[in-house]
């Protein structure tokens, strides 16, 4: 698919936009000033594949903690600021690689200008976040609908930054409504070439939130729109990374080596506990960094053929299993040995 042509924005040692990989983000839920706990969580995020991490900065103590955090992590650090422009300035001076602000709640354009001048001096980019819940009332009245008001609000800030000779920008236009989120990003993307951060805000919990994020983020990515993503889940931040990676992988947009598991939904021909086998294979391959497609199939007759594009796979029979590569059976084993046999072959690939 053709990616939207955007300018590049450097954040730490990563680049957002252009032809660069789509980067996965998350946000900690610890108290930022608790450096030990925050570092523990960031390190778990790094191990999960997170490429940019954001922390809340509601106090001066949190801003001061940024230097300690940055020295102990290997991914760019973003400071998330609401209401207080002085905290944004303090975060920049304490080593944030990027700051995220909403000019609508940071104190207006004059306060925003103070922040951008410091960001300009330090060479730090700004992510401009505009959410459906905080869009200006006058724009709602002017446009008559929330999506147009949200786009116009973002464009107003874009013009303000450009008039002040600041172009080191990433924009995010978020909504909790999936159709609204898709529409506002489509419209905004047609007006400029700034990189876009995608996400469905306040998506919720569990499967519902995952589905909303996959549909919203995935729809835009499939159209070439989006340069960095965050899946917002109410829960452990590491879970966000897993979902984000799967969204990118499903669209062949991932820049990380990862085993891709395909499996059949089972049917009346299945004579093996394929659900348990598929879950165990998935668990055992979670931390395997190989660019492989692994198939877990229930039928020894059709399985290898249906999954012939897989690099390797298994197919279950009645008390036995087949191991196959690119659709060709290479081994027949007892049912109890099927997973170990598959893993042994994968290790040798």
């Amino acid at each position: 698919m053709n990616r939207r042509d955007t300018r590049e924005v450097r954040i730490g040692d990563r680049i957002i936009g252009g032809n660069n990989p789509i980067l996965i983000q998350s946000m900690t839920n610890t108290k930022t000033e608790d450096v030990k706990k925050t570092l523990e969580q960031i390190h778990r995020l790094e191990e999960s594949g997170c490429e940019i991490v954001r922390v809340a900065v509601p106090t001066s103590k949190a801003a001061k903690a940024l230097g300690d955090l940055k020295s102990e992590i290997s991914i760019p650090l973003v400071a998330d600021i609401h209401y207080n422009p002085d905290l944004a300035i303090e975060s920049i001076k304490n080593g944030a690689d990027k700051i995220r602000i909403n000019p609508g709640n940071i104190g207006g354009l004059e306060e925003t200008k103070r922040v951008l001048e410091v960001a300009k001096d330090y060479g730090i980019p700004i992510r401009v976040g505009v959410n459906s819940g905080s869009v200006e009332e006058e724009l709602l009245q002017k446009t008559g609908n929330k999506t147009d008001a949200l786009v116009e609000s973002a464009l107003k800030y874009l013009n303000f930054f450009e008039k002040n000779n600041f172009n080191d920008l990433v924009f995010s236009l978020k909504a909790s409504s999936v159709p609204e989120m898709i529409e506002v990003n489509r419209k905004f993307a047609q007006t400029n070439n700034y990189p876009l951060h995608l996400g469905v805000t306040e998506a919720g919990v569990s499967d519902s939130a995952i589905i909303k994020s996959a549909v919203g983020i995935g729809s835009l990515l499939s159209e070439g729109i989006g340069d960095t993503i965050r899946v917002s889940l109410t829960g452990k931040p590491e879970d966000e990374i897993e979902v984000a990676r799967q969204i990118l992988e499903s669209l062949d947009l991932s820049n990380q080596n990862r085993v891709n598991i395909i499996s059949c939904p089972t049917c009346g021909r299945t004579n093996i506990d394929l659900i348990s086998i598929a879950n165990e294979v998935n668990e055992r391959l979670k931390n395997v960094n190989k660019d492989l497609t692994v198939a877990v199939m229930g039928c020894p007759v059709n399985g290898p053929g249906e999954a012939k594009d897989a690099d390797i796979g298994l197919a279950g029979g009645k008390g036995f299993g087949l191991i196959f590569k690119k659709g060709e059976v290479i081994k027949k084993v007892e049912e109890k040995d099927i997973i170990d046999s598959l893993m042994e072959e994968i290790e040798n690939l």
Side-chain angles (χ1 to χ4, degrees), residues 112-346:
T112 301
K113 186 175 181 180
R114 284 206 301 128
V115 175
L116 76 83
E117 292 296 345
V118 177
K120 192 187 301 182
D121 290 342
Y122 280 75
I124 298 301
I126 294 175
R127 177 181 142 202
V128 180
V130 185
N131 291 347
S132 60
S134 60
V135 68
E136 299 94 316
E137 184 61 35
E138 62 267 25
L139 291 180
L140 286 170
Q141 293 179 1
K142 175 186 173 183
T143 61
N145 68 81
K146 190 178 286 187
T147 55
D148 286 341
L150 195 56
V151 172
E152 190 158 334
S153 177
L155 289 174
K156 179 182 76 172
Y157 298 136
L158 184 158
N159 292 331
F160 173 78
F161 278 97
E162 289 188 332
K163 285 179 182 177
N164 285 278
N165 300 310
F166 192 94
N167 305 100
D168 213 4
L169 299 167
V170 177
F171 280 83
S172 65
L173 289 77
K174 291 189 176 182
S176 55
S177 160
V178 173
E180 189 176 294
M181 173 265 189
I182 294 171
E183 185 178 357
V184 295
N185 280 281
R186 278 178 181 158
K187 288 182 175 180
F188 184 79
Q190 293 169 359
T191 68
N192 64 87
N193 69 343
Y194 286 96
L196 274 169
H197 170 112
L198 301 182
V200 179
T201 191
E202 299 155 3
V205 297
S206 192
D207 294 346
S208 174
I210 292 171
I211 292 168
K212 287 179 184 178
S213 295
V215 172
I217 294 171
S219 295
L220 290 165
L221 290 177
S222 71
E223 299 172 18
I225 298 170
D227 305 282
T228 179
I229 65 173
R230 189 235 171 147
V231 173
S232 297
L233 302 178
T234 303
K236 295 188 298 183
E238 306 96 281
D239 293 342
E240 298 182 352
I241 306 305
E242 176 67 20
V243 178
R245 291 175 70 168
Q246 289 187 27
I247 292 172
L248 293 180
E249 286 165 12
S250 70
L251 294 166
D252 293 330
L253 291 171
S254 177
N255 66 314
Q256 301 176 356
N257 282 337
R258 180 86 183 277
V259 175
N260 175 37
I261 298 175
I262 61 174
S263 59
C264 71
T266 75
C267 69
R269 291 188 296 269
T270 305
N271 289 304
I272 198 169
D273 186 3
L274 193 74
I275 296 173
S276 296
I277 290 172
N279 286 330
E280 185 174 342
V281 169
N282 181 61
E283 189 64 32
R284 290 176 67 168
L285 290 175
K286 267 187 177 178
N287 296 317
V288 174
N289 294 316
K290 291 187 177 184
D291 186 13
L292 290 175
T293 296
V294 177
V296 181
M297 309 298 287
C299 176
V301 178
N302 294 331
E306 290 175 358
K308 64 183 178 182
D309 291 332
D311 297 291
I312 191 166
L314 64 81
K318 193 170 185 178
F320 71 93
L322 304 178
I323 307 297
F324 59 89
K325 292 182 180 179
K326 295 292 185 182
E328 297 294 326
V329 176
I330 62 168
K331 190 184 293 184
K332 182 177 180 179
V333 298
E334 292 185 35
E335 180 178 342
K336 65 182 179 62
D337 299 324
I338 192 169
I339 297 176
D340 287 338
S341 296
L342 177 69
M343 295 302 299
E344 183 181 336
E345 294 294 331
I346 290 172

